[in-house]
Amino acid sequence: MDSYPVKSAFTTLRWYTFFIYGTMVIFTSFFQLYLQDIGMTQSEIGALMAIGPFISLFANPFWGYLGDRLQNVRLVLLLMMTGTLLIVQIVFHLNDYVVMYIVMACFFFFQTPMFAQSSTLILNYIDGTPYKFGGFRLYGSLGWALTAVCAGPIIDYLGVPRIGNVFTMLLLVAIALMLMLPAQAKQPGGGAVMNLTALKQIGSNLYFIGFIVLGVLVSIPNMMNSTFLSLYVIELGGSKSMVGWAVFASSIFEAALFLLFDRFLKRKVSFMIGWLALVSLLFTLRWLLMAEAVSPLQVIFIQLLHAVTFGGYFYVGTQLTMMFVPNAFRSSGQALYTMTWSGVSGVVAGFLGGWLFQNFGSEQMYLAGVALSLLGALGFAFMWLNIRRTDYRLPDEDI
Protein backbone atom coordinates (compact mmCIF):
# COMPACT_ATOMS: atom_id res chain seq x y z
CA MET A 1 0.00 0.00 0.00
CA ASP A 2 3.07 2.25 -0.13
CA SER A 3 2.11 3.86 -3.45
CA TYR A 4 -1.44 4.66 -2.33
CA PRO A 5 -2.51 7.29 0.23
CA VAL A 6 -3.22 5.29 3.36
CA LYS A 7 -6.17 7.36 4.59
CA SER A 8 -7.79 7.24 1.16
CA ALA A 9 -7.42 3.46 1.08
CA PHE A 10 -9.14 3.03 4.42
CA THR A 11 -11.88 5.48 3.44
CA THR A 12 -12.52 3.46 0.29
CA LEU A 13 -12.60 0.28 2.37
CA ARG A 14 -15.24 1.81 4.66
CA TRP A 15 -17.46 2.78 1.74
CA TYR A 16 -17.01 -0.61 0.10
CA THR A 17 -18.28 -2.18 3.34
CA PHE A 18 -21.23 0.25 3.36
CA PHE A 19 -22.29 -0.61 -0.18
CA ILE A 20 -21.71 -4.38 -0.10
CA TYR A 21 -23.93 -4.66 2.98
CA GLY A 22 -26.44 -2.26 1.42
CA THR A 23 -26.53 -4.42 -1.69
CA MET A 24 -27.13 -7.64 0.20
CA VAL A 25 -29.96 -6.26 2.36
CA ILE A 26 -31.98 -5.77 -0.82
CA PHE A 27 -31.76 -9.47 -1.52
CA THR A 28 -32.00 -10.72 2.08
CA SER A 29 -35.00 -8.62 3.11
CA PHE A 30 -37.03 -8.07 -0.05
CA PHE A 31 -36.44 -11.05 -2.35
CA GLN A 32 -38.97 -13.14 -0.37
CA LEU A 33 -41.67 -10.60 -1.30
CA TYR A 34 -40.84 -11.14 -4.97
CA LEU A 35 -41.13 -14.91 -4.53
CA GLN A 36 -44.49 -14.50 -2.80
CA ASP A 37 -45.56 -12.13 -5.57
CA ILE A 38 -44.95 -14.81 -8.23
CA GLY A 39 -47.03 -17.34 -6.30
CA MET A 40 -44.68 -19.30 -4.05
CA THR A 41 -45.92 -20.61 -0.67
CA GLN A 42 -44.02 -20.17 2.62
CA SER A 43 -42.66 -23.74 2.40
CA GLU A 44 -41.49 -23.18 -1.19
CA ILE A 45 -39.87 -19.87 -0.24
CA GLY A 46 -38.18 -21.49 2.75
CA ALA A 47 -36.89 -24.35 0.57
CA LEU A 48 -35.55 -21.94 -2.05
CA MET A 49 -33.83 -19.75 0.53
CA ALA A 50 -32.37 -22.87 2.19
CA ILE A 51 -30.43 -23.51 -1.03
CA GLY A 52 -28.20 -20.55 -0.12
CA PRO A 53 -26.96 -21.91 3.22
CA PHE A 54 -26.62 -25.39 1.69
CA ILE A 55 -24.49 -24.09 -1.19
CA SER A 56 -22.48 -22.03 1.31
CA LEU A 57 -21.31 -25.28 2.94
CA PHE A 58 -19.27 -25.84 -0.24
CA ALA A 59 -18.80 -22.25 -1.39
CA ASN A 60 -17.30 -20.93 1.86
CA PRO A 61 -14.50 -23.53 2.00
CA PHE A 62 -13.85 -23.13 -1.73
CA TRP A 63 -13.51 -19.33 -1.65
CA GLY A 64 -11.69 -19.48 1.69
CA TYR A 65 -9.21 -21.98 0.22
CA LEU A 66 -8.74 -19.78 -2.85
CA GLY A 67 -8.17 -16.71 -0.68
CA ASP A 68 -5.55 -18.53 1.40
CA ARG A 69 -3.88 -20.04 -1.68
CA LEU A 70 -3.71 -16.81 -3.70
CA GLN A 71 -3.22 -14.56 -0.66
CA ASN A 72 -5.40 -12.07 -2.56
CA VAL A 73 -8.84 -11.71 -0.94
CA ARG A 74 -9.48 -8.56 -3.01
CA LEU A 75 -9.24 -10.54 -6.28
CA VAL A 76 -11.41 -13.32 -4.85
CA LEU A 77 -14.10 -10.81 -3.87
CA LEU A 78 -14.01 -9.23 -7.32
CA LEU A 79 -14.63 -12.66 -8.86
CA MET A 80 -17.49 -13.31 -6.46
CA MET A 81 -19.14 -9.93 -7.09
CA THR A 82 -18.81 -10.29 -10.86
CA GLY A 83 -20.43 -13.73 -10.79
CA THR A 84 -23.24 -12.42 -8.57
CA LEU A 85 -23.82 -9.46 -10.89
CA LEU A 86 -24.08 -11.61 -14.00
CA ILE A 87 -26.41 -14.23 -12.52
CA VAL A 88 -28.80 -11.74 -10.90
CA GLN A 89 -29.60 -10.42 -14.38
CA ILE A 90 -31.26 -13.80 -15.06
CA VAL A 91 -33.01 -14.41 -11.73
CA PHE A 92 -35.77 -11.81 -12.04
CA HIS A 93 -36.78 -12.99 -15.50
CA LEU A 94 -37.51 -16.61 -14.59
CA ASN A 95 -41.00 -18.11 -14.45
CA ASP A 96 -40.15 -21.82 -14.13
CA TYR A 97 -39.61 -22.89 -10.51
CA VAL A 98 -37.19 -25.71 -11.38
CA VAL A 99 -34.97 -23.38 -13.41
CA MET A 100 -35.23 -20.82 -10.61
CA TYR A 101 -33.81 -23.34 -8.12
CA ILE A 102 -30.90 -24.18 -10.43
CA VAL A 103 -30.01 -20.55 -11.21
CA MET A 104 -30.30 -19.57 -7.53
CA ALA A 105 -27.87 -22.35 -6.62
CA CYS A 106 -25.33 -20.69 -8.95
CA PHE A 107 -26.16 -17.26 -7.51
CA PHE A 108 -25.61 -18.46 -3.93
CA PHE A 109 -22.25 -20.01 -4.84
CA PHE A 110 -20.89 -16.52 -5.52
CA GLN A 111 -23.00 -14.54 -3.01
CA THR A 112 -23.07 -16.46 0.27
CA PRO A 113 -19.34 -16.26 1.22
CA MET A 114 -19.17 -12.53 0.51
CA PHE A 115 -19.55 -11.33 4.10
CA ALA A 116 -16.95 -13.77 5.46
CA GLN A 117 -14.39 -12.78 2.85
CA SER A 118 -15.19 -9.08 3.31
CA SER A 119 -14.43 -9.52 7.03
CA THR A 120 -11.15 -11.20 6.09
CA LEU A 121 -10.36 -8.32 3.72
CA ILE A 122 -10.88 -5.79 6.51
CA LEU A 123 -8.82 -7.81 9.01
CA ASN A 124 -5.97 -8.12 6.51
CA TYR A 125 -5.91 -4.40 5.66
CA ILE A 126 -5.93 -3.28 9.29
CA ASP A 127 -3.37 -5.86 10.44
CA GLY A 128 -0.46 -4.00 12.02
CA THR A 129 -2.31 -0.65 12.05
CA PRO A 130 -4.12 1.21 14.85
CA TYR A 131 -7.46 0.65 13.06
CA LYS A 132 -10.06 -1.64 14.66
CA PHE A 133 -12.44 -4.07 12.97
CA GLY A 134 -15.56 -2.51 14.47
CA GLY A 135 -14.76 0.90 13.00
CA PHE A 136 -15.11 -0.59 9.52
CA ARG A 137 -17.87 -3.10 10.23
CA LEU A 138 -20.09 -0.28 11.54
CA TYR A 139 -20.20 1.04 7.95
CA GLY A 140 -21.71 -2.30 7.00
CA SER A 141 -24.41 -1.85 9.64
CA LEU A 142 -25.13 1.67 8.41
CA GLY A 143 -25.26 0.49 4.80
CA TRP A 144 -27.63 -2.33 5.77
CA ALA A 145 -29.92 -0.06 7.83
CA LEU A 146 -30.04 3.02 5.60
CA THR A 147 -30.41 1.06 2.36
CA ALA A 148 -33.27 -0.99 3.83
CA VAL A 149 -35.24 2.04 5.00
CA CYS A 150 -34.74 3.84 1.66
CA ALA A 151 -35.45 0.73 -0.42
CA GLY A 152 -38.88 0.10 1.13
CA PRO A 153 -40.68 3.10 -0.41
CA ILE A 154 -38.60 2.82 -3.62
CA ILE A 155 -39.74 -0.79 -4.12
CA ASP A 156 -43.29 0.23 -3.19
CA TYR A 157 -43.09 2.84 -5.99
CA LEU A 158 -41.24 0.81 -8.64
CA GLY A 159 -42.95 -2.50 -7.86
CA VAL A 160 -41.55 -5.76 -6.51
CA PRO A 161 -40.29 -7.01 -9.94
CA ARG A 162 -37.82 -4.05 -9.99
CA ILE A 163 -35.89 -5.31 -6.94
CA GLY A 164 -33.24 -6.69 -9.29
CA ASN A 165 -32.52 -3.23 -10.73
CA VAL A 166 -31.91 -1.74 -7.27
CA PHE A 167 -29.63 -4.68 -6.38
CA THR A 168 -27.63 -4.28 -9.60
CA MET A 169 -27.00 -0.55 -9.16
CA LEU A 170 -25.72 -0.94 -5.61
CA LEU A 171 -23.50 -3.90 -6.52
CA LEU A 172 -21.91 -1.92 -9.38
CA VAL A 173 -20.94 0.80 -6.88
CA ALA A 174 -19.40 -1.82 -4.56
CA ILE A 175 -17.39 -3.29 -7.46
CA ALA A 176 -16.12 0.17 -8.43
CA LEU A 177 -14.97 0.80 -4.86
CA MET A 178 -13.23 -2.57 -4.71
CA LEU A 179 -11.33 -1.73 -7.91
CA MET A 180 -10.12 1.48 -6.21
CA LEU A 181 -8.55 -0.45 -3.32
CA PRO A 182 -4.79 -1.00 -3.53
CA ALA A 183 -3.28 -4.47 -3.78
CA GLN A 184 -2.47 -6.01 -0.41
CA ALA A 185 0.88 -7.24 0.72
CA LYS A 186 1.24 -10.97 1.32
CA GLN A 187 0.21 -11.94 4.83
CA PRO A 188 2.86 -13.39 7.14
CA GLY A 189 2.82 -17.15 6.86
CA GLY A 190 0.63 -16.80 3.79
CA GLY A 191 0.00 -19.46 1.25
CA ALA A 192 -0.96 -22.09 3.82
CA VAL A 193 -3.91 -24.19 2.77
CA MET A 194 -6.58 -25.71 4.98
CA ASN A 195 -5.90 -29.46 4.91
CA LEU A 196 -6.52 -32.48 7.14
CA THR A 197 -3.57 -31.61 9.37
CA ALA A 198 -4.88 -28.07 9.89
CA LEU A 199 -8.42 -29.34 10.48
CA LYS A 200 -7.12 -31.78 13.09
CA GLN A 201 -5.18 -28.96 14.77
CA ILE A 202 -8.27 -26.74 14.89
CA GLY A 203 -10.65 -29.60 15.72
CA SER A 204 -8.53 -30.71 18.68
CA ASN A 205 -9.72 -27.62 20.59
CA LEU A 206 -12.96 -28.82 22.17
CA TYR A 207 -13.92 -25.29 23.22
CA PHE A 208 -13.81 -24.14 19.61
CA ILE A 209 -15.92 -27.13 18.55
CA GLY A 210 -18.39 -26.33 21.36
CA PHE A 211 -18.53 -22.70 20.23
CA ILE A 212 -19.32 -23.82 16.66
CA VAL A 213 -22.01 -26.39 17.64
CA LEU A 214 -23.81 -24.10 20.11
CA GLY A 215 -23.64 -21.32 17.53
CA VAL A 216 -25.70 -23.45 15.14
CA LEU A 217 -28.44 -23.84 17.78
CA VAL A 218 -28.56 -20.10 18.43
CA SER A 219 -28.39 -19.25 14.74
CA ILE A 220 -31.29 -21.41 13.51
CA PRO A 221 -34.04 -19.12 14.91
CA ASN A 222 -32.05 -16.04 13.84
CA MET A 223 -31.95 -17.38 10.28
CA MET A 224 -35.67 -18.23 10.42
CA ASN A 225 -36.39 -14.63 11.40
CA SER A 226 -34.10 -13.31 8.66
CA THR A 227 -35.83 -15.48 6.03
CA PHE A 228 -39.44 -14.84 7.04
CA LEU A 229 -39.40 -11.38 8.67
CA SER A 230 -40.71 -9.57 5.58
CA LEU A 231 -43.54 -12.10 5.17
CA TYR A 232 -44.37 -11.79 8.89
CA VAL A 233 -44.62 -7.99 8.67
CA ILE A 234 -46.92 -8.26 5.64
CA GLU A 235 -49.00 -10.93 7.44
CA LEU A 236 -49.52 -8.53 10.35
CA GLY A 237 -50.85 -5.89 7.93
CA GLY A 238 -47.64 -3.96 7.26
CA SER A 239 -46.36 -2.43 4.00
CA LYS A 240 -43.04 -2.82 2.19
CA SER A 241 -41.97 0.48 3.76
CA MET A 242 -42.59 -1.06 7.18
CA VAL A 243 -40.44 -4.03 6.16
CA GLY A 244 -37.68 -1.51 5.47
CA TRP A 245 -38.17 0.12 8.88
CA ALA A 246 -38.06 -3.28 10.61
CA VAL A 247 -34.71 -4.02 8.95
CA PHE A 248 -33.52 -0.47 9.74
CA ALA A 249 -34.35 -0.96 13.43
CA SER A 250 -32.47 -4.25 13.46
CA SER A 251 -29.13 -2.79 12.44
CA ILE A 252 -28.94 0.96 13.07
CA PHE A 253 -27.49 0.52 16.57
CA GLU A 254 -24.99 -2.15 15.53
CA ALA A 255 -22.55 0.65 14.71
CA ALA A 256 -22.48 1.91 18.31
CA LEU A 257 -22.12 -1.66 19.60
CA PHE A 258 -19.10 -2.37 17.38
CA LEU A 259 -17.40 0.83 18.54
CA LEU A 260 -18.01 -0.10 22.18
CA PHE A 261 -16.60 -3.58 21.58
CA ASP A 262 -13.54 -2.13 19.85
CA ARG A 263 -12.85 -0.12 22.97
CA PHE A 264 -13.93 -2.33 25.84
CA LEU A 265 -14.03 -5.97 24.71
CA LYS A 266 -11.51 -8.07 26.62
CA ARG A 267 -9.60 -10.57 24.53
CA LYS A 268 -10.21 -13.31 27.08
CA VAL A 269 -11.94 -16.55 26.17
CA SER A 270 -13.85 -16.68 29.45
CA PHE A 271 -15.22 -13.17 28.98
CA MET A 272 -16.23 -13.81 25.36
CA ILE A 273 -17.96 -17.13 26.10
CA GLY A 274 -19.80 -15.51 29.01
CA TRP A 275 -20.97 -12.77 26.67
CA LEU A 276 -22.27 -15.37 24.19
CA ALA A 277 -24.28 -17.00 27.01
CA LEU A 278 -25.87 -13.63 27.80
CA VAL A 279 -26.54 -12.87 24.11
CA SER A 280 -28.19 -16.27 23.63
CA LEU A 281 -30.48 -15.53 26.58
CA LEU A 282 -31.42 -12.20 24.98
CA PHE A 283 -32.14 -14.07 21.75
CA THR A 284 -34.58 -16.20 23.75
CA LEU A 285 -36.38 -13.08 24.98
CA ARG A 286 -36.43 -11.63 21.47
CA TRP A 287 -38.15 -14.65 19.91
CA LEU A 288 -40.68 -14.80 22.76
CA LEU A 289 -41.62 -11.18 22.10
CA MET A 290 -41.87 -11.85 18.35
CA ALA A 291 -44.21 -14.79 18.99
CA GLU A 292 -46.50 -12.48 20.98
CA ALA A 293 -46.44 -9.55 18.50
CA VAL A 294 -49.79 -8.45 17.06
CA SER A 295 -48.78 -5.47 14.88
CA PRO A 296 -45.96 -4.45 12.49
CA LEU A 297 -45.05 -1.57 14.82
CA GLN A 298 -44.35 -4.00 17.65
CA VAL A 299 -42.10 -6.02 15.33
CA ILE A 300 -40.15 -2.87 14.44
CA PHE A 301 -39.46 -2.11 18.11
CA ILE A 302 -38.57 -5.74 18.91
CA GLN A 303 -36.07 -5.64 16.03
CA LEU A 304 -34.05 -3.11 18.03
CA LEU A 305 -32.78 -6.11 20.03
CA HIS A 306 -31.02 -7.32 16.88
CA ALA A 307 -28.07 -5.00 17.47
CA VAL A 308 -27.10 -6.50 20.80
CA THR A 309 -28.08 -10.10 19.88
CA PHE A 310 -26.86 -10.72 16.33
CA GLY A 311 -24.38 -7.82 16.42
CA GLY A 312 -22.93 -9.00 19.72
CA TYR A 313 -22.66 -12.61 18.58
CA PHE A 314 -21.20 -11.73 15.17
CA TYR A 315 -18.45 -9.49 16.56
CA VAL A 316 -17.41 -11.79 19.39
CA GLY A 317 -17.62 -14.86 17.15
CA THR A 318 -15.34 -13.23 14.58
CA GLN A 319 -12.79 -12.33 17.26
CA LEU A 320 -12.94 -15.78 18.89
CA THR A 321 -12.36 -17.43 15.52
CA MET A 322 -9.28 -15.24 15.01
CA MET A 323 -7.96 -16.33 18.42
CA PHE A 324 -8.69 -20.04 17.97
CA VAL A 325 -7.46 -20.39 14.35
CA PRO A 326 -3.76 -19.93 13.35
CA ASN A 327 -3.02 -16.81 11.26
CA ALA A 328 -2.07 -18.87 8.21
CA PHE A 329 -5.64 -20.22 8.05
CA ARG A 330 -7.45 -16.98 8.87
CA SER A 331 -9.50 -16.88 5.65
CA SER A 332 -10.49 -20.54 5.98
CA GLY A 333 -11.25 -20.06 9.68
CA GLN A 334 -13.68 -17.23 8.99
CA ALA A 335 -15.21 -19.33 6.21
CA LEU A 336 -15.70 -22.22 8.67
CA TYR A 337 -17.33 -19.90 11.21
CA THR A 338 -19.69 -18.48 8.57
CA MET A 339 -20.34 -21.94 7.12
CA THR A 340 -21.77 -23.12 10.44
CA TRP A 341 -23.35 -19.89 11.69
CA SER A 342 -25.27 -19.13 8.49
CA GLY A 343 -24.74 -22.32 6.45
CA VAL A 344 -25.76 -25.39 8.45
CA SER A 345 -28.24 -23.38 10.53
CA GLY A 346 -29.62 -21.66 7.42
CA VAL A 347 -30.48 -24.98 5.75
CA VAL A 348 -32.36 -26.13 8.85
CA ALA A 349 -34.00 -22.72 9.25
CA GLY A 350 -35.28 -22.61 5.67
CA PHE A 351 -36.99 -25.99 5.75
CA LEU A 352 -38.04 -25.99 9.43
CA GLY A 353 -39.16 -22.34 9.41
CA GLY A 354 -41.12 -22.70 6.17
CA TRP A 355 -42.83 -25.88 7.40
CA LEU A 356 -43.74 -24.37 10.78
CA PHE A 357 -44.89 -21.06 9.26
CA GLN A 358 -47.14 -22.71 6.66
CA ASN A 359 -48.57 -25.53 8.79
CA PHE A 360 -48.69 -24.12 12.33
CA GLY A 361 -48.33 -20.36 11.90
CA SER A 362 -45.69 -17.73 12.64
CA GLU A 363 -46.20 -17.90 16.43
CA GLN A 364 -45.13 -21.55 16.61
CA MET A 365 -42.12 -20.81 14.40
CA TYR A 366 -40.91 -18.19 16.86
CA LEU A 367 -41.66 -20.37 19.90
CA ALA A 368 -39.42 -23.06 18.39
CA GLY A 369 -36.75 -20.35 18.26
CA VAL A 370 -37.25 -19.71 21.98
CA ALA A 371 -36.46 -23.35 22.79
CA LEU A 372 -33.35 -23.50 20.56
CA SER A 373 -31.89 -20.22 21.87
CA LEU A 374 -32.44 -21.29 25.46
CA LEU A 375 -30.54 -24.53 24.80
CA GLY A 376 -27.68 -22.49 23.35
CA ALA A 377 -27.65 -20.15 26.36
CA LEU A 378 -27.44 -23.09 28.78
CA GLY A 379 -24.63 -24.65 26.73
CA PHE A 380 -22.54 -21.46 26.71
CA ALA A 381 -23.17 -20.97 30.43
CA PHE A 382 -21.86 -24.48 31.12
CA MET A 383 -18.82 -23.82 28.89
CA TRP A 384 -18.13 -20.52 30.71
CA LEU A 385 -18.23 -22.26 34.12
CA ASN A 386 -15.83 -24.94 32.89
CA ILE A 387 -13.38 -22.39 31.46
CA ARG A 388 -13.43 -20.47 34.74
CA ARG A 389 -12.95 -23.66 36.75
CA THR A 390 -9.95 -24.83 34.70
CA ASP A 391 -8.54 -21.30 34.14
CA TYR A 392 -8.27 -22.08 30.41
CA ARG A 393 -6.36 -19.50 28.36
CA LEU A 394 -5.13 -19.04 24.81
CA PRO A 395 -1.47 -18.01 24.35
CA ASP A 396 -2.25 -14.59 22.82
CA GLU A 397 -5.22 -13.48 24.92
CA ASP A 398 -5.22 -10.47 27.24
CA ILE A 399 -4.01 -11.02 30.78
Side-chain angles (χ1 to χ4, degrees):
M1 293 173 56
D2 296 337
S3 62
Y4 194 93
V6 173
K7 287 187 177 179
S8 297
F10 288 123
T11 299
T12 302
L13 183 59
R14 290 187 185 97
W15 284 111
Y16 160 76
T17 308
F18 180 96
F19 277 98
I20 198 63
Y21 275 80
T23 302
M24 293 311 152
V25 76
I26 300 298
F27 174 79
T28 303
S29 301
F30 295 96
F31 185 59
Q32 296 88 331
L33 299 179
Y34 170 77
L35 297 176
Q36 188 178 59
D37 194 59
I38 63 174
M40 282 192 170
T41 65
Q42 287 98 336
S43 290
E44 289 171 335
I45 292 171
L48 180 62
M49 298 306 289
I51 293 175
F54 176 74
I55 293 297
S56 77
L57 298 177
F58 309 98
N60 269 298
F62 172 81
W63 293 107
Y65 167 88
L66 194 61
D68 286 334
R69 170 63 76 181
L70 298 178
Q71 287 294 287
N72 193 338
V73 180
R74 175 175 170 269
L75 175 60
V76 167
L77 276 164
L78 280 170
L79 292 172
M80 292 164 65
M81 288 190 289
T82 302
T84 301
L85 179 66
L86 294 175
I87 295 171
V88 83
Q89 307 311 312
I90 304 171
V91 170
F92 289 91
H93 299 285
L94 297 174
N95 296 313
D96 185 278
Y97 287 174
V98 175
V99 178
M100 170 80 80
Y101 278 76
I102 295 170
V103 173
M104 286 305 298
C106 298
F107 173 86
F108 285 126
F109 176 76
F110 290 97
Q111 182 264 333
T112 49
M114 213 168 286
F115 286 156
Q117 296 308 312
S118 292
S119 293
T120 303
L121 183 82
I122 295 169
L123 291 167
N124 285 348
Y125 268 104
I126 66 176
D127 195 25
T129 75
Y131 293 98
K132 299 290 184 69
F133 176 76
F136 290 84
R137 179 56 179 79
L138 72 85
Y139 272 75
S141 297
L142 291 173
W144 187 275
L146 296 177
T147 303
V149 79
C150 293
I154 291 173
I155 292 170
D156 251 338
Y157 175 76
L158 294 177
V160 171
R162 300 293 183 185
I163 292 174
N165 295 348
V166 180
F167 182 94
T168 296
M169 286 187 290
L170 290 171
L171 185 55
L172 284 171
V173 175
I175 290 172
L177 289 166
M178 177 62 72
L179 290 170
M180 292 169 61
L181 284 171
Q184 291 178 274
K186 299 285 185 181
Q187 295 299 305
V193 177
M194 184 66 80
N195 50 33
L196 284 177
T197 302
L199 285 173
K200 286 179 181 177
Q201 181 182 348
I202 295 170
S204 64
N205 189 322
L206 294 181
Y207 287 118
F208 180 61
I209 298 302
F211 155 67
I212 291 295
V213 171
L214 292 173
V216 171
L217 287 179
V218 176
S219 179
I220 288 172
N222 182 66
M223 292 296 292
M224 286 195 297
N225 181 68
S226 176
T227 301
F228 297 102
L229 175 66
S230 57
L231 302 184
Y232 188 44
V233 170
I234 298 298
E235 180 186 72
L236 292 175
S239 63
K240 296 174 185 65
S241 293
M242 295 194 84
V243 171
W245 279 108
V247 177
F248 175 85
S250 73
S251 50
I252 189 59
F253 292 117
E254 274 187 357
L257 187 78
F258 290 138
L259 289 176
L260 287 172
F261 274 163
D262 272 347
R263 185 166 184 178
F264 298 111
L265 181 68
K266 297 178 182 177
R267 284 178 55 86
K268 289 185 64 175
V269 172
S270 60
F271 180 86
M272 291 183 173
I273 295 296
W275 173 258
L276 293 183
L278 176 60
V279 165
S280 300
L281 201 58
L282 289 173
F283 264 127
T284 305
L285 172 63
R286 181 181 170 192
W287 307 137
L288 183 61
L289 292 173
M290 287 290 280
E292 299 297 323
V294 294
S295 74
L297 190 60
Q298 285 180 318
V299 171
I300 290 172
F301 282 110
I302 296 167
Q303 283 288 97
L304 292 171
L305 284 171
H306 183 85
V308 72
T309 50
F310 172 77
Y313 200 108
F314 173 86
Y315 188 102
V316 172
T318 300
Q319 301 301 315
L320 266 176
T321 302
M322 281 184 65
M323 293 171 68
F324 279 125
V325 177
N327 284 344
F329 306 110
R330 179 179 286 174
S331 186
S332 293
Q334 293 299 332
L336 179 64
Y337 168 50
T338 303
M339 183 176 69
T340 52
W341 171 254
S342 60
V344 174
S345 57
V347 174
V348 177
F351 287 104
L352 178 63
W355 179 73
L356 288 171
F357 200 138
Q358 183 168 328
N359 293 288
F360 300 98
S362 51
E363 181 181 357
Q364 293 304 313
M365 182 185 74
Y366 281 111
L367 287 176
V370 170
L372 289 169
S373 296
L374 186 58
L375 280 175
L378 292 173
F380 279 123
F382 175 78
M383 189 185 299
W384 175 78
L385 287 171
N386 198 54
I387 287 173
R388 297 274 293 184
R389 182 178 60 81
T390 59
D391 196 30
Y392 173 81
R393 295 174 185 271
L394 286 169
D396 63 341
E397 72 178 61
D398 292 343
I399 304 300

